[in-house]
Amino acid sequence: MAAPSGFGTSFAANRCPNLASSSVLLPSRFRFFPKLSKTETIASKTGLRFPPKYDGTSNALVRENKTDSKEIKFSSLELLKTSSANRYTKDRSSIVVIGLNVHTAPVEMREKLSIPEAQWPRAISELCALNHIDEAAVLSTCNRMEIYIVALSQHRGVKEVTDWMSKVSGVPVSELCQHRFLLYDKDATRHLFEVSTGLDSVVLGEGQILAQVKHVVKAVQGVPGFGRKISGLFKHAITLGKRVRTETNISMGSVSVSSAAVDLALMKLPESLYANTPESLYANTRVLVVGAGKMGKLVIKHLVAKGCTKMVVVNRTEDKVAAICKEIKDAEIVNKPLSEMLACAAEADVVFTSTTSETPLFSKEQVQKFPPVTYQIGGQRLFIDISVPRNVESCVSDVEGACVYNVDDLKDVVAANKEDRFQKAMEAQGIILEEVKQFEAWKDSLETVPTIKKLRAYAERIRASEVDKCLSKMGDDVTNKRKEAVHDLSASIVNKILHGPMQHLRCDDTRSLSEMLENMHALNRIFGLDPEISLLEEKIRAKFEQAQ
């Protein structure tokens, strides 16, 4: 869907605010007051434990009015690390989805928030420049605009993204919050899985959304900010979407009157028109569509999807047909005026009608004058009338060589197909729950990656140091073969010693997440690794350096 007018200018002009302000990340109780002269005063009110280098004799955190801005920025960074480290490392980063879709917001609101594909990489970069956002992705279609993030802090991450959405769209935050939805961690994962399988679509099980999720990955692959967790989530959703469609066939069967009309005609056409596939029937059939309104447009789209490469469209005005021709370029659409409707119908094999006319367009007397159809084996001219009031008189079916189907005939087909899809949706939910569990296990295992890397590096440093000492004692006449044997022996010993700890840092069916994380924290304490705290400090420092 095209972006609303003025979006590009708004998007470029509303970059994320300067991240250097110390008050962006700090609660009000951590603001600096020049009159305070002792760090103990702050500590007594906030309960903070300052790092060793702030031992109470230094006034680096709270200086008099002479304190310059550079020192305040540095102080705020140090204070942030000490005050927030426990919160960040205790509450792991979260996957969050913040969005609006066809179920929560009208099209006018979705249009304002829509982000064109060309802007996706820049949107991801701007989102990840926010203080509490580590990774991001944008899923923007006609029916939804959803932002997926990895947030270092759920509450602050959501606030930052909401403010960013408001700035680039011009929609006030208060109005945005009335229509947005928020989902966290497992719920966010499950939502994307339901989206990719078509369970969250207007038409249950529709397949277009899976192609759109694939396109997101293709369009932003390699963009900084489309990181390991978010890209893993989207790729898992694509694999799941394919699996559900293969195992349940949920997208089979028409679930709208317009698609059912096209499928019904396909079933009624004689097999003698087959070329290679059933869809090739429409390539050899003369088709007339009367009416180019909403239903008529859908009929045309479904016809093209089923292989119809040429058709005649009759409508009261030419503008609507011209707009459809501009949008649908995979078929030759011949526009005829309403005055030529009967002549066009006389030359057609299948006639679809979908107008708002209150009087019938085709009567028995008119159809009796039509020449026979061109089918090679006893076919009939099909009138498929999806109009209310009806456009084709019911007595037309009494004419030899004519057959009429109305909207009631199609409703039974649609109802049966919907019931079938609901049954398949229940099967799909079972598959989704299984895949959510697998993805969460994979995501949780990433939490121990820094510990695994630091533990292996720690052991490798000791191994290399001890091997060098050993070889130096053995003298200069040691052959390369013996040196290689010593290296191999030491590496083998280290690998065997590390095998047990490494296994206990991986989440599997025999080990719970809580046990895995307990093992991780134990190893961090024993070997003094603190990978999560150091990782947090690196991310915070990078944010501040980027802002400065």
Side-chain angles (χ1 to χ4, degrees):
M1 176 179 290
S5 62
F7 177 86
T9 304
S10 173
F11 191 96
N14 291 289
R15 294 266 180 181
C16 57
N18 188 352
L19 304 179
S21 172
S22 61
S23 64
V24 172
L25 296 180
L26 294 177
S28 59
R29 65 179 184 273
F30 295 153
R31 302 287 167 80
F32 299 99
F33 301 93
K35 293 183 178 181
L36 295 176
S37 60
K38 294 183 180 181
T39 55
E40 289 84 358
T41 304
I42 296 181
S44 65
K45 292 185 177 180
T46 62
L48 296 178
R49 293 180 59 191
F50 292 97
K53 56 184 175 182
Y54 298 115
D55 57 1
T57 62
S58 170
N59 291 327
L61 284 179
V62 281
R63 297 179 181 272
E64 301 294 336
N65 293 331
K66 297 179 181 180
T67 303
D68 59 36
S69 60
K70 183 176 180 181
E71 290 171 330
I72 289 179
K73 288 176 182 177
F74 178 76
S75 300
S76 66
L77 174 60
E78 294 300 327
L79 181 59
L80 174 67
K81 292 195 299 185
T82 54
S83 65
S84 301
N86 287 338
R87 172 167 57 83
Y88 278 107
T89 54
K90 180 180 179 182
D91 300 325
R92 297 171 297 137
S93 59
S94 301
I95 291 180
V96 185
V97 56
I98 305 149
L100 303 91
N101 58 29
V102 68
H103 307 299
T104 67
V107 64
E108 295 82 8
M109 178 68 67
R110 302 199 307 274
E111 284 175 344
K112 293 177 183 178
L113 288 152
S114 175
I115 300 178
E117 178 187 338
Q119 303 286 0
W120 291 352
R122 188 166 68 181
I124 291 173
S125 297
E126 293 191 2
L127 286 166
C128 290
L130 300 174
N131 291 346
H132 296 83
I133 311 302
D134 204 26
E135 301 178 22
V138 175
L139 178 59
S140 183
T141 71
C142 292
N143 288 331
R144 66 188 69 247
M145 207 298 283
E146 300 173 356
I147 294 178
Y148 292 79
I149 60 170
V150 172
L152 298 176
S153 167
Q154 286 185 358
H155 174 71
R156 295 186 180 185
V158 168
K159 184 180 185 305
E160 289 174 352
V161 173
T162 303
D163 290 342
W164 179 87
M165 292 170 69
S166 176
K167 288 178 181 178
V168 301
S169 66
V171 178
V173 171
S174 58
E175 186 177 354
L176 193 61
C177 290
Q178 292 176 10
H179 298 283
R180 76 175 184 187
F181 66 89
L182 300 172
L183 295 170
Y184 304 94
D185 295 316
K186 286 185 180 180
D187 291 333
T189 298
R190 182 169 178 172
H191 174 73
L192 182 59
F193 288 0
E194 290 178 347
V195 167
S196 69
T197 53
L199 299 190
D200 192 60
S201 299
V202 176
V203 177
L204 186 64
E206 63 96 3
Q208 184 181 8
I209 186 62
L210 178 59
Q212 291 167 332
V213 174
K214 288 180 183 177
H215 190 64
V216 170
V217 175
K218 182 179 180 181
V220 301
Q221 191 69 47
V223 173
F226 189 64
R228 189 173 186 182
K229 288 184 180 179
I230 290 293
S231 65
L233 174 64
F234 271 72
K235 290 174 182 178
H236 203 119
I238 293 170
T239 302
L240 172 61
K242 294 177 182 177
R243 178 186 171 189
V244 166
R245 281 167 173 77
T246 300
E247 295 184 14
T248 67
N249 291 322
I250 192 172
S251 59
M252 299 296 291
S254 304
V255 290
S256 69
V257 170
S258 56
S259 61
V262 174
D263 287 344
L264 178 64
L266 196 63
M267 291 187 291
K268 299 299 180 180
L269 290 173
E271 296 183 3
S272 59
L273 293 177
Y274 281 14
N276 298 315
T277 63
E279 285 78 4
S280 64
L281 283 169
Y282 275 125
N284 300 311
T285 302
R286 299 174 301 177
V287 176
L288 169 66
V289 178
V290 182
K294 182 178 179 181
M295 295 295 289
K297 182 179 179 180
L298 289 173
V299 167
I300 293 170
K301 285 187 173 182
H302 287 299
L303 282 168
V304 173
K306 292 295 184 180
C308 185
T309 57
K310 183 177 180 179
M311 69 188 78
V312 177
V313 178
V314 171
N315 195 58
R316 187 172 53 206
T317 60
E318 296 182 5
D319 294 344
K320 288 186 177 180
V321 181
I324 293 173
C325 292
K326 187 176 180 180
E327 181 179 346
I328 302 174
K329 299 180 180 180
D330 295 333
E332 179 185 351
I333 300 176
V334 180
N335 185 12
K336 294 289 185 179
L338 191 62
S339 58
E340 297 183 23
M341 180 188 69
L342 292 178
C344 293
E347 297 177 358
D349 301 320
V350 181
V351 179
F352 295 93
T353 61
S354 60
T355 76
T356 57
S357 175
E358 296 182 1
T359 59
L361 301 179
F362 295 96
S363 64
K364 180 178 180 180
E365 291 75 17
Q366 291 169 330
V367 175
Q368 282 177 330
K369 298 177 182 179
F370 290 174
V373 296
T374 59
Y375 296 157
Q376 299 175 3
I377 302 177
Q380 292 181 313
R381 178 176 282 107
L382 301 179
F383 289 88
I384 302 181
D385 184 9
I386 59 175
S387 306
V388 179
R390 288 175 291 176
N391 290 165
V392 182
E393 290 183 345
S394 58
C395 57
V396 169
S397 58
D398 297 335
V399 178
E400 184 179 358
C403 189
V404 180
Y405 297 93
N406 59 41
V407 69
D408 286 344
D409 299 320
L410 300 174
K411 282 182 178 178
D412 293 337
V413 176
V414 171
N417 287 335
K418 282 186 177 179
E419 180 63 28
D420 183 53
R421 286 202 181 188
F422 278 121
Q423 293 296 327
K424 291 173 180 176
M426 297 299 292
E427 298 176 28
Q429 286 290 1
I431 298 174
I432 288 174
L433 290 176
E434 176 187 331
E435 294 290 342
V436 166
K437 182 179 179 182
Q438 291 183 12
F439 175 78
E440 289 297 313
W442 172 80
K443 186 186 69 168
D444 291 337
S445 69
L446 298 181
E447 297 296 324
T448 63
V449 170
T451 297
I452 292 174
K453 288 182 178 179
K454 285 187 174 285
L455 179 59
R456 182 166 288 281
Y458 174 81
E460 178 60 26
R461 286 195 300 271
I462 294 175
R463 185 196 71 81
S465 175
E466 294 304 315
V467 166
D468 288 343
K469 292 179 182 178
C470 175
L471 293 177
S472 64
K473 292 179 180 179
M474 295 174 66
D476 298 332
D477 57 345
V478 181
T479 63
N480 289 335
K481 187 174 182 179
R482 288 191 175 184
K483 290 181 179 180
E484 184 177 350
V486 172
H487 277 286
D488 291 344
L489 174 63
S490 62
S492 177
I493 292 173
V494 168
N495 287 337
K496 290 183 182 298
I497 292 174
L498 291 181
H499 177 74
M502 295 298 185
Q503 286 296 104
H504 284 78
L505 288 176
R506 294 184 172 90
C507 187
D508 54 30
D509 294 336
T510 63
R511 192 172 297 105
S512 66
L513 174 61
S514 59
E515 181 183 350
M516 180 190 71
L517 294 178
E518 184 179 346
N519 294 336
M520 179 185 72
H521 293 309
L523 287 171
N524 290 339
R525 291 193 303 271
I526 292 170
F527 294 101
L529 303 177
D530 283 338
E532 290 196 38
I533 294 177
S534 62
L535 183 62
L536 168 69
E537 292 178 354
E538 290 174 8
K539 289 181 178 179
I540 296 175
R541 187 176 294 279
K543 295 278 188 181
F544 272 76
E545 289 177 353
Q546 180 183 6
Q548 293 172 6

